[in-house]
Amino acid sequence: MPFSIEYLRADIPCLSEECPFNCKNEGQQTLLSSNVDHYLIPDVSVIMRYLEILEQEELTGIILSQTVTMNLQQHDKLKTYRKLRQITNDSRKKSIMFYNELFEETKVARLPDETSLDRDWRALCQLARWYDTHLQHKKKIILLSEQQDHHHSTNDVIVMTTKQYLDKYWKDNALLQNLVQVLADVVLEDTIEDGKIKLSLKSSNGLGTTNNAAVNGYSEYKPIDELEVGIKSNRYYSGILRCRKDNRDQAYVNDSGLLGKDILIIGNENRNRAVHGDLVVVELLPESSRAIISNDISFDSSNAEDEYEEDRFRNTIATSRPIGRVVGVLNRNWRSYVATLQEDSSEIGGSIHLAIPLDPVIPKIRIRYQNVKLIENQRVVVRIDNWPINSQYPNGHFVRSLGPIHQLDTEISAILVEHSISVSQASQGFSEMSLKEMPTDTPENPWKPEEGEVAKRRDLRDLTVFSIDPPNCQDIDDALSVKELPDGKIELGVHIADVSYFVKENYMTDLEARSRGTTVYLADRRFDMLPSVLSERVCSLRHKVDRYAVSVIWTLNKDYQILNIWFGRSIINSSCEMEYEQAQQLLDGKEIATGLGLKLKPCIVKLAQVLRAFRERRLAKGALELEGSEVKFKITDQHEITDINILLFMKNISKIKLIHGLVAEAMIMANASVGKRIYEGFKDAAILRHHPPPTKSQFEGLVKAAKSRGFSIDFSSNKALAQSLEDITNGCKDDPEIARLLKTMATVAMNEAGYISSGHYSVNEYYHYGLALEFYTHFTSPIRRYADVIAHRQLLSCVQDPTATMDNHERGSLMFKDASVSSICENLNLKSRESKFAQRDSTELFQSLYVLQHTTNDASLIERGVVSEIRSNGFYVFVPSIYIRLGLKGPVYLKDKNGEPNVPLSLISGKESKDENETIPNCRIEVDIPNSISVHSLDLPNPIQFNLFDNVQVSLKLRKSHAHRHMVYMTLVDLDHVELNNSRKNTPVRMTNTEMMHAIEAEEEKTSKAKEKPTGKKKNKALSMYEVLEKFRKMSIIENKAVIEL
């Protein structure tokens, strides 16, 4: 008879801060907190039904047992298992995984004739008893179970249902109380035998159905074992499903296997109930199944696309790519979605409603809500529960309401939810435990450096140190210094706020900052990574107060070559908080800038000389000068925009912005020097900033666009690309918008930079393509980026700083382990990307508010624009005057939703028409993507052609929506330039519609005095416009071929 031997261990630590014994808890990433009243041990019934509640920030101290995780793994619940791992990996949750099945004091053997379900329950009870005894009854151990018979099976263990627990400990938490009610509709069937798990819906909730027939086109997913075999044999391919923002029926899956190509997924049937972000398995379809892929501009999507994904998708459909069908889902990456009920929900009645997600790539979600009037016309948060084969839409549940649609605070909250900004960060709140860790800094008792700590630091308080920042900057995390030494050498210094001194590793503030990853900057507000007592006061390098810093000081010779670099902790006293404009005034030769003293000018001039030299060397190696912008709005309490500021991050800074480029160069120097130093100290775990080179396919669109204007793009190396972009800049001095757009296209075509642990990559992959640097990290902004905090800790350990050494010795550190740093980097890359998208969405929100504010009472907002992208049904336009302020890109449609031509008559009149139905009749549209789109008609003497980068005049308008944010779009008003017979330029006769009618009438009176008087009956509008054009053609008033020319 076969048998197996189980090896049990006696040394598994309890992972609790409350441990009274010598458990091996040191060096663990997460420990159960000693500051809570109780710990929770959920069983599988709670995990399956109420996992979403366990995921909430409020619930901490969760002990996830090996008993439960083994059950999930055995029954193909890998998605649920991964979510449990996310809970334990989130350090703020103070939750752990305990291997009770391998521990001799908690292992429970199965009795004869005992079901595995009963054995598992006894194992959990034994785990609870052991913790209670081990911690000497200092913490309550609560077992959570939805199985009613378990509540009476033992008397020495506290057992509660999830609702009982929430009613006792979280009675006043509206979100948790609502969730427990909603999730009660998702239950475990009574057929749980031997641990078998099956999820179903109550028939009473209205979302279930007795019709098991599959929706037309949907098919059952293949079994997991068949999928795994198919992937290994290359019959199937796996990857993340990405849907196109402006057309959900067009998606792709990136296969990193042998196929090495993006696989197109066309149509709802082939997507087969998969949702954007899911990890799916795909089988390829035969060549005969290829579909016609639309290149239209959507009428429903936002203008704020993921430029990288959209550019990738365009390259995918422009080249030969395989087409596939989803046959399985390995992991559902469902999240919380912001949605709005359909407008007719209250009229239809009932308790089942369709919620339309704000994100256009997500399908409508069926939810149950009894009193629909309470949430109609509201932005609500919903979650998807499942998507059965017999349902056209996924089933989900209501979580909470954010507020009335189209109110500013509601829409900002929606942006934060959509981009997974945590509730605590969105509310700008920090836990009480975190705030207790903060240093004291009040008007009565301001923070002061400790004498003992000052003695350990390099004292730079006599050095002239200054900061240069945007106006009204509060979180000043960098300062500069430059000093000429008696022997002719120069000391250049970059001094960064010493955040890591106040934020100790694995303390609550650190865990919160690690989870947030970054400060989120929106167009009118920010959401901090650190409490304001640090970010705006104690860590901020304000002038005329002593502050702790971490400094990088280069010793340079007279040719500005680096002789030596000093790294370490310092104490500084900033002489001045300068704004960019003040520093620029000194650099421009003014003796005294507004509000500044005399001694700073020599420092600014010398700083500029030094940094120009370093910048020129870096550019000579191939560093790129790309485009980017940061937009800030000022609004009144009535939500009216009163001012718009933009900080242009163009490295070829124009005169007023030169100083910004020089400050940026100093930060690049510091980041590069620190990156190299921490790699030398921790070759297997240094946190670096990685920017891989682009591929050929990524630049196809840019190459074609540049070629249309006579430029060539060489991207064989970053140096070659930099030269190409410089040639474009020099060739577009009369039309800077073209150079700006091409540089923006180059930025979009690039791969995204990201954080890496050096141990996960080879040395030749550390290179930063955009900056032309061998080593690079983020070190200069620890107040707003957690990556910089890690870089500080690693740097200070490298230079054997005494305080850092003592901290590491007393508490241990995860910052020097490749696996830990790599895991943190993954979260930071995600948070950085979502923060960028949140900022983009907020800018679009304020664009719509700006246009709404300036187009009320039938007012017009007419601007000159540049055609930036040609599509099948129109083109996108950048508006330079608005672009400088808002970064506005919007669509111009030349076809309506039905695909019929819809070209405004204003192209002939030169005046905006209040009636958008006044269009050129009987015309057709011809497209030459990506170069041009043209309008042809028998009623036009010559076609009207729009080329890439042509100039147009557009009227900015707002398309209002119930379920989505209002969207800015544009209508054509006029052509800026008209070319006659491709040889000479002329301005055509321009008339208003009324003038045209009068001209026609006058012409008719001359030719026919016997004309009958009008009957007074209204003519058909389309026919009237046709007659107008016909009369004008006869009068030869429009005789030029219209071609836009810049």
Side-chain angles (χ1 to χ4, degrees):
M1 180 177 178
F3 64 92
S4 60
I5 301 176
E6 290 186 334
Y7 293 95
L8 300 180
R9 296 177 55 178
D11 60 346
I12 295 180
C14 67
L15 301 179
S16 173
E17 295 175 349
E18 197 67 57
C19 179
F21 303 103
N22 190 25
C23 279
K24 297 179 180 178
N25 292 326
E26 298 82 6
Q28 299 294 331
Q29 181 171 352
T30 304
L31 294 176
L32 296 165
S33 174
S34 60
N35 295 316
V36 296
D37 172 74
H38 57 272
Y39 299 148
L40 297 174
I41 302 178
D43 76 350
V44 70
S45 66
V46 172
I47 297 295
M48 290 304 299
R49 191 193 308 176
Y50 292 119
L51 177 57
E52 186 176 344
I53 289 178
L54 299 178
E55 292 175 321
Q56 299 303 309
E57 293 180 2
E58 292 86 348
L59 268 66
T60 61
I62 303 171
I63 301 170
L64 297 172
S65 66
Q66 186 184 11
T67 302
V68 168
T69 58
M70 288 175 60
N71 196 321
L72 295 173
Q73 289 174 310
Q74 289 169 3
H75 296 95
D76 295 337
K77 295 299 176 182
L78 294 181
K79 171 193 167 185
T80 306
Y81 174 74
R82 292 190 185 102
K83 286 193 173 185
L84 294 182
R85 276 299 186 185
Q86 290 174 2
I87 291 176
T88 59
N89 290 338
D90 185 347
S91 302
R92 298 170 305 163
K93 295 281 290 179
K94 294 287 187 178
S95 299
I96 64 160
M97 187 78 69
F98 190 85
Y99 293 91
N100 62 309
E101 299 292 346
L102 300 177
F103 187 36
E104 62 182 15
E105 295 192 47
T106 56
K107 174 65 177 177
V108 172
R110 186 173 177 176
L111 301 175
D113 300 324
E114 184 180 35
T115 66
S116 63
L117 189 65
D118 290 338
R119 190 222 68 96
D120 288 353
W121 177 248
R122 286 198 304 113
L124 294 180
C125 290
Q126 178 59 26
L127 176 61
R129 293 187 190 100
W130 179 80
Y131 260 104
D132 184 49
T133 302
H134 181 75
L135 299 181
Q136 298 180 344
H137 315 293
K138 293 179 180 179
K139 300 293 178 187
K140 294 178 183 177
I141 309 299
I142 300 176
L143 266 176
L144 295 181
S145 176
E146 302 304 311
Q147 300 297 313
Q148 292 300 321
D149 53 337
H150 289 165
H151 291 249
H152 308 290
S153 61
T154 180
N155 295 321
D156 58 344
V157 175
I158 302 173
V159 182
M160 294 183 181
T161 65
T162 306
K163 183 169 180 15
Q164 289 171 342
Y165 168 72
L166 294 179
D167 286 344
K168 181 176 179 61
Y169 290 97
W170 301 97
K171 186 176 182 180
D172 298 326
N173 189 298
L175 174 61
L176 294 176
Q177 289 295 332
N178 176 70
L179 275 178
V180 75
Q181 295 292 338
V182 172
L183 294 176
D185 289 328
V186 180
V187 301
L188 292 173
E189 287 187 345
D190 293 330
T191 56
I192 304 181
E193 297 176 359
D194 294 330
K196 183 177 180 180
I197 303 169
K198 187 175 181 181
L199 188 66
S200 71
L201 295 170
K202 285 183 179 179
S203 59
S204 61
N205 69 0
L207 295 179
T209 175
T210 56
N211 180 13
N212 294 319
V215 169
N216 186 30
Y218 290 163
S219 60
E220 292 283 3
Y221 293 147
K222 305 290 186 184
I224 188 68
D225 54 350
E226 182 179 338
L227 294 176
E228 291 174 347
V229 171
I231 293 172
K232 290 179 181 178
S233 65
N234 294 318
R235 178 187 175 190
Y236 300 143
Y237 303 90
S238 65
I240 300 295
L241 180 76
R242 302 289 185 189
C243 296
R244 193 172 183 178
K245 281 284 185 183
D246 60 1
N247 191 339
R248 189 172 67 246
D249 282 343
Q250 298 180 9
Y252 74 86
V253 172
N254 175 234
D255 173 67
S256 58
L258 294 177
L259 191 63
K261 294 182 179 180
D262 291 341
I263 304 170
L264 292 176
I265 309 294
I266 306 300
N268 194 46
E269 296 178 2
N270 288 333
R271 204 167 61 253
N272 194 20
R273 296 172 291 136
V275 177
H276 176 85
D278 286 349
L279 177 60
V280 301
V281 179
V282 175
E283 69 174 351
L284 299 184
L285 297 177
E287 290 287 332
S288 59
S289 301
R290 291 194 176 275
I292 298 175
I293 303 172
S294 170
N295 196 35
D296 285 355
I297 306 172
S298 171
F299 282 83
D300 301 317
S301 71
S302 161
N303 293 332
E305 300 169 339
D306 178 345
E307 293 92 346
Y308 173 71
E309 294 290 357
E310 180 61 22
D311 187 64
R312 181 172 183 165
F313 197 94
R314 285 198 299 272
N315 290 332
T316 296
I317 64 176
T319 55
S320 177
R321 291 290 187 271
I323 293 181
R325 172 182 173 83
V326 174
V327 295
V329 177
L330 298 180
N331 188 31
R332 292 286 199 185
N333 287 315
W334 295 338
R335 57 175 176 83
S336 295
Y337 302 105
V338 178
T340 309
L341 297 190
Q342 289 191 155
E343 288 187 84
D344 58 358
S345 294
S346 60
E347 297 177 6
I348 294 175
S351 61
I352 307 303
H353 311 281
L354 279 178
I356 304 173
L358 199 60
D359 189 341
V361 303
I362 306 301
K364 296 177 181 178
I365 303 169
R366 298 167 65 203
I367 66 170
R368 177 175 181 251
Y369 200 88
Q370 292 294 344
N371 193 349
V372 69
K373 289 187 177 296
L374 294 178
I375 60 171
E376 65 178 351
N377 301 320
Q378 302 255 321
R379 296 277 188 243
V380 297
V381 180
V382 299
R383 294 285 293 261
I384 297 177
D385 295 324
N386 55 66
W387 195 341
I389 194 173
N390 57 357
S391 175
Q392 183 179 359
Y393 302 112
N395 297 320
H397 61 268
F398 168 86
V399 177
R400 60 191 170 102
S401 172
L402 298 177
I405 61 175
H406 302 310
Q407 286 192 4
L408 182 60
D409 288 340
T410 299
E411 300 301 337
I412 292 294
S413 296
I415 289 172
L416 297 176
V417 172
E418 278 295 299
H419 296 290
S420 303
I421 310 299
S422 67
V423 173
S424 61
Q425 188 167 9
S427 64
Q428 304 190 30
F430 290 84
S431 68
E432 183 178 349
M433 292 174 60
S434 174
L435 296 178
K436 286 180 179 179
E437 298 170 359
M438 294 299 97
T440 300
D441 184 54
T442 64
E444 300 77 21
N445 187 19
W447 177 85
K448 294 180 180 179
E450 299 175 8
E451 292 184 7
E453 180 61 26
V454 171
K456 302 175 185 178
R457 295 172 176 263
R458 183 169 175 176
D459 195 335
L460 301 175
R461 285 177 287 187
D462 291 334
L463 184 65
T464 300
V465 176
F466 50 89
S467 59
I468 307 175
D469 290 287
N472 304 315
C473 185
Q474 301 297 315
D475 50 345
I476 302 173
D477 46 18
D478 60 83
L480 301 166
S481 66
V482 61
K483 180 181 179 181
E484 297 186 67
L485 303 178
D487 59 0
K489 297 176 182 176
I490 297 170
E491 282 189 351
L492 173 66
V494 169
H495 315 277
I496 307 300
D498 190 0
V499 171
S500 65
Y501 176 81
F502 298 97
V503 180
K504 301 298 185 183
E505 185 175 351
N506 284 333
Y507 279 34
M508 282 306 301
T509 306
D510 179 60
L511 299 178
E512 183 67 30
R514 188 186 306 173
S515 176
R516 297 183 179 195
T518 179
T519 291
V520 179
Y521 291 90
L522 301 188
D524 70 325
R525 66 193 76 185
R526 75 169 191 258
F527 299 91
D528 290 331
M529 183 184 79
L530 296 173
S532 60
V533 66
L534 293 181
S535 62
E536 295 183 6
R537 286 149 43 201
V538 175
C539 287
S540 186
L541 305 182
R542 311 310 297 262
H543 71 301
K544 298 181 181 179
V545 291
D546 292 347
R547 288 290 183 260
Y548 291 161
V550 178
S551 298
V552 181
I553 299 177
W554 299 268
T555 302
L556 314 174
N557 65 17
K558 62 181 180 179
D559 296 323
Y560 307 142
Q561 299 293 333
I562 298 175
L563 303 177
N564 181 51
I565 310 177
W566 181 87
F567 303 94
R569 278 186 157 131
S570 62
I571 181 169
I572 66 172
N573 189 299
S574 176
S575 302
C576 179
E577 297 175 22
M578 263 187 285
E579 297 180 0
Y580 287 125
E581 187 173 355
Q582 292 174 315
Q584 188 67 49
Q585 288 174 352
L586 295 177
L587 197 58
D588 290 341
K590 291 186 179 181
E591 291 299 324
I592 302 177
T594 305
L596 301 183
L598 289 170
K599 71 174 184 177
L600 289 172
K601 181 177 179 180
C603 295
I604 295 295
V605 173
K606 176 56 69 173
L607 181 73
Q609 291 174 354
V610 173
L611 293 176
R612 279 196 188 102
F614 280 98
R615 179 173 176 272
E616 289 169 3
R617 290 174 199 161
R618 192 170 55 81
L619 292 177
K621 294 179 181 179
L624 302 176
E625 298 175 293
L626 300 176
E627 286 290 324
S629 64
E630 180 178 323
V631 186
K632 298 296 179 187
F633 294 81
K634 293 182 180 180
I635 63 171
T636 66
D637 292 339
Q638 289 74 38
H639 298 159
E640 292 183 353
I641 298 174
T642 60
D643 192 17
I644 305 171
N645 296 317
I646 187 165
L647 186 60
L648 293 177
F649 296 119
M650 296 178 291
K651 301 307 184 294
N652 58 332
I653 304 295
S654 58
K655 183 177 180 182
I656 191 77
K657 296 299 180 182
L658 176 60
I659 193 66
H660 180 274
L662 296 177
V663 173
E665 192 64 35
M667 300 304 115
I668 291 171
M669 283 183 62
N671 288 333
S673 296
V674 171
K676 184 177 180 180
R677 183 65 183 89
I678 62 176
Y679 171 72
E680 291 171 349
F682 302 101
K683 285 185 167 57
D684 293 331
I687 184 168
L688 300 176
R689 185 76 172 163
H690 168 60
H691 185 210
T695 62
K696 181 179 179 180
S697 63
Q698 290 172 251
F699 270 81
E700 289 178 356
L702 175 62
V703 170
K704 292 178 181 178
K707 186 178 180 180
S708 71
R709 283 289 163 171
F711 297 109
S712 62
I713 298 288
D714 181 357
F715 52 90
S716 58
S717 68
N718 54 355
K719 187 172 183 178
L721 178 58
Q723 184 60 53
S724 296
L725 295 177
E726 184 178 352
D727 293 342
I728 289 173
T729 300
N730 294 333
C732 295
K733 290 183 178 179
D734 294 332
D735 298 305
E737 290 86 4
I738 294 180
R740 185 179 299 167
L741 286 172
L742 285 170
K743 286 188 176 184
T744 300
M745 294 177 68
T747 304
V748 171
M750 295 286 180
N751 287 311
E752 291 183 296
Y755 300 109
I756 62 169
S757 171
S758 58
H760 267 55
Y761 293 80
S762 59
V763 177
N764 63 338
E765 293 180 288
Y766 300 162
Y767 186 71
H768 195 292
Y769 179 86
L771 295 175
L773 293 167
E774 298 294 333
F775 295 94
Y776 195 70
T777 192
H778 273 168
F779 161 78
T780 55
S781 296
I783 288 177
R784 63 183 179 89
R785 291 188 306 229
Y786 189 77
D788 302 56
V789 178
I790 299 177
H792 277 233
R793 289 173 179 157
Q794 292 186 338
L795 175 66
L796 293 170
S797 293
C798 286
V799 299
Q800 297 182 338
D801 174 78
T803 303
T805 301
M806 182 179 65
D807 288 345
N808 294 337
H809 177 73
E810 290 181 352
R811 292 188 298 273
S813 176
L814 300 173
M815 299 298 133
F816 317 113
K817 298 178 181 178
D818 177 41
S820 300
V821 175
S822 181
S823 176
I824 292 172
C825 285
E826 289 181 11
N827 178 65
L828 295 181
N829 289 330
L830 175 63
K831 293 299 183 181
S832 177
R833 199 164 193 260
E834 291 301 331
S835 174
K836 180 184 72 174
F837 290 158
Q839 184 177 26
R840 174 207 63 187
D841 285 351
S842 76
T843 299
E844 185 188 62
L845 173 63
F846 278 89
Q847 286 173 352
S848 65
L849 183 60
Y850 180 85
V851 172
L852 177 64
Q853 184 176 317
H854 288 79
T855 55
T856 54
N857 301 321
D858 293 328
S860 297
L861 186 57
I862 298 177
E863 299 283 350
R864 173 179 170 272
V866 181
V867 177
S868 64
E869 183 184 343
I870 304 294
R871 292 289 192 94
S872 302
N873 62 338
F875 47 84
Y876 279 103
V877 172
F878 264 121
V879 181
S881 63
I882 298 295
Y883 174 72
I884 293 175
R885 290 175 280 163
L886 294 177
L888 181 61
K889 172 187 175 182
V892 168
Y893 301 97
L894 296 182
K895 294 182 181 180
D896 60 21
K897 289 185 177 181
N898 298 320
E900 297 298 323
N902 187 40
V903 184
L905 190 66
S906 58
L907 284 178
I908 290 126
S909 70
K911 301 289 184 180
E912 181 189 20
S913 172
K914 298 300 181 184
D915 189 348
E916 292 186 21
N917 292 321
E918 290 188 343
T919 60
I920 299 176
N922 301 329
C923 63
R924 72 181 192 280
I925 307 297
E926 293 186 1
V927 183
D928 177 21
I929 294 177
N931 299 314
S932 65
I933 185 170
S934 55
V935 181
H936 299 256
S937 173
L938 295 175
D939 304 303
L940 294 173
N942 294 293
I944 302 175
Q945 183 168 314
F946 303 92
N947 300 307
L948 191 64
F949 302 127
D950 277 350
N951 284 359
V952 291
Q953 282 191 0
V954 292
S955 177
L956 274 58
K957 298 181 181 295
L958 202 63
R959 174 172 288 113
K960 296 186 178 181
S961 171
H962 177 78
H964 299 96
R965 286 190 290 270
H966 300 326
M967 186 186 81
V968 177
Y969 73 104
M970 305 174 190
T971 58
L972 280 170
V973 174
D974 195 8
L975 311 177
D976 267 15
H977 301 283
V978 178
E979 184 176 324
L980 177 61
N981 298 327
N982 289 326
S983 61
R984 62 185 179 88
K985 296 179 181 179
N986 190 17
T987 301
V989 177
R990 297 297 191 191
M991 296 183 179
T992 65
N993 293 341
T994 302
E995 290 171 338
M996 285 196 294
M997 295 301 295
H998 288 166
I1000 293 171
E1001 292 175 358
E1003 180 67 16
E1004 288 182 330
E1005 287 179 0
K1006 292 179 182 178
T1007 56
S1008 180
K1009 293 183 179 181
K1011 182 180 178 182
E1012 294 181 3
K1013 295 182 179 180
T1015 62
K1017 295 181 180 180
K1018 292 184 179 180
K1019 298 181 180 180
N1020 178 275
K1021 181 169 290 186
L1023 180 60
S1024 173
M1025 292 303 105
Y1026 173 83
E1027 291 177 347
V1028 169
L1029 289 169
E1030 181 63 22
K1031 299 298 183 182
F1032 261 86
R1033 189 162 61 88
K1034 290 179 179 179
M1035 293 166 60
S1036 299
I1037 290 180
I1038 49 174
E1039 58 181 10
N1040 299 341
K1041 179 179 180 181
V1043 180
I1044 305 171
E1045 185 179 278
L1046 230 63

